[in-house]
Amino acid sequence: MSKLIVANWKMYLSPKNSVELFGAVGKKGEVVICPSFAALNQLSTLAKKSGIGLGAQDCFWTNRGAYTGEISPVDLKEIGCEYVIVGHSERRGYFQETDEMVGKKVKAALATGLIPILCVGENEFERKKGKAATHVVEQLKKTLTGLGKLRAGQEIIIAYEPVWAIGTGKACDPETAVEMHQLIKEKVAELIGVKNVRVLYGGSVNDKNIASYLEYAEIDGALVGGASTKKDIFASLLSIASKF
Ligand code: 13P
């Protein structure tokens, strides 16, 4: 299977800049772009034409109701999203999202026919204490337990994003990422019966280091933040990734 590159544009780009960048990217390999909510509608027509996948950066766990400011998974689906990132460490950190909340979002996304990209990863303290593996396994257990087996046609993607590597320029060394990816694949198989789930690496990925990750079979692609918002760097990253 080809490698998957998911761009998380976070809150870096305005809708106008998102349309410009999207137009400049061009499809190379399997690519999904997750712009800010405000840009999703405009990008959805472009995404359909280009064959680039479209994803949101979060969703709520219920489809309708009095939830001011939240985004319904069915609405994301209606405007053309196929993917949704859930449990990003910036949501967990700034908005106190717990594993329980993230688990409900995974369930809601799957029920709607969206492909959740579930983010897990340890912080610097946990890594230094030798607790990275335990922490990630705990996150998987708490978010996936109770999900049951996935139905035919349903898919889930996991993103291993060590918090200390996000936006810091201190990318995780590929061998360590491979160990974590193996562990994640084993646990996901055990918890929801999905064999060889796709696991993306995220955290300071750029065009200079992308190849060092993608050369490993355990690394199915990357979740790219900052580097995906810079036209030339992203184009070069995609061109490298498409050769794997
Ligand atoms: P950076 O690529 O900017 O480190 O961000 C990674 C990330 O959080 C993607 O979701």
Side-chain angles (χ1 to χ4, degrees):
M1 193 181 258
S2 65
K3 305 281 181 173
L4 169 65
I5 303 297
V6 179
N8 175 7
W9 285 353
K10 308 194 181 191
M11 209 183 69
Y12 284 128
L13 302 172
S14 71
K16 185 168 169 280
N17 292 339
S18 302
V19 170
E20 281 164 9
L21 181 57
F22 197 99
V25 169
K27 179 172 157 62
K28 269 208 194 89
E30 199 183 352
V31 190
V32 172
I33 289 183
C34 304
S36 68
F37 286 125
L40 273 176
N41 226 340
Q42 274 169 283
L43 289 199
S44 115
T45 323
L46 293 174
K48 264 184 221 125
K49 279 192 209 140
S50 65
I52 293 175
L54 190 67
Q57 297 174 13
D58 187 29
C59 69
F60 194 52
W61 57 72
T62 288
N63 285 335
R64 293 277 164 242
Y67 302 104
T68 303
E70 285 301 331
I71 307 277
S72 161
V74 284
D75 292 353
L76 292 176
K77 183 86 182 154
E78 186 179 309
I79 63 169
C81 284
E82 298 157 276
Y83 299 82
V84 60
I85 297 172
V86 289
H88 192 281
S89 68
E90 285 148 18
R91 304 281 329 159
R92 294 175 189 261
Y94 294 121
F95 306 102
Q96 286 76 49
E97 282 193 15
T98 61
D99 286 319
E100 195 209 353
M101 291 155 82
V102 175
K104 289 205 269 183
K105 292 181 177 198
V106 169
K107 236 183 206 164
L110 285 168
T112 309
L114 293 165
I115 301 175
I117 301 171
L118 167 63
C119 300
V120 294
E122 78 287 355
N123 64 26
E124 191 164 22
F125 179 76
E126 286 148 354
R127 166 70 46 195
K128 285 197 171 135
K129 288 271 169 203
K131 300 251 190 281
T134 330
H135 179 76
V136 166
V137 167
E138 211 43 36
Q139 285 183 316
L140 290 172
K141 276 191 192 156
K142 287 188 178 152
T143 45
L144 299 179
T145 300
L147 200 62
K149 300 254 185 283
L150 296 198
R151 289 198 305 272
Q154 285 187 321
E155 190 190 346
I156 183 167
I157 294 171
I158 312 291
Y160 170 58
E161 295 210 304
V163 181
W164 48 270
I166 295 177
T168 57
K170 291 192 284 178
C172 179
D173 70 85
E175 292 72 26
T176 305
V178 166
E179 275 173 33
M180 297 301 285
H181 283 219
Q182 276 166 340
L183 175 72
I184 290 167
K185 282 172 190 277
E186 278 166 29
K187 283 291 147 194
V188 170
E190 205 177 294
L191 290 165
I192 53 170
V194 175
K195 291 204 182 71
N196 204 19
V197 68
R198 287 207 275 183
V199 185
L200 313 177
Y201 167 72
S204 296
V205 173
N206 55 41
D207 58 337
K208 302 282 180 292
N209 62 18
I210 183 75
S212 68
Y213 295 103
L214 299 186
E215 69 182 67
Y216 289 95
E218 292 84 353
I219 300 183
D220 301 289
L223 180 52
V224 189
S228 70
T229 63
K230 299 176 185 87
K231 191 176 93 184
D232 295 342
I233 296 176
F234 192 40
S236 137
L237 186 156
L238 290 179
S239 149
I240 296 166
S242 68
K243 298 196 177 88
F244 281 84

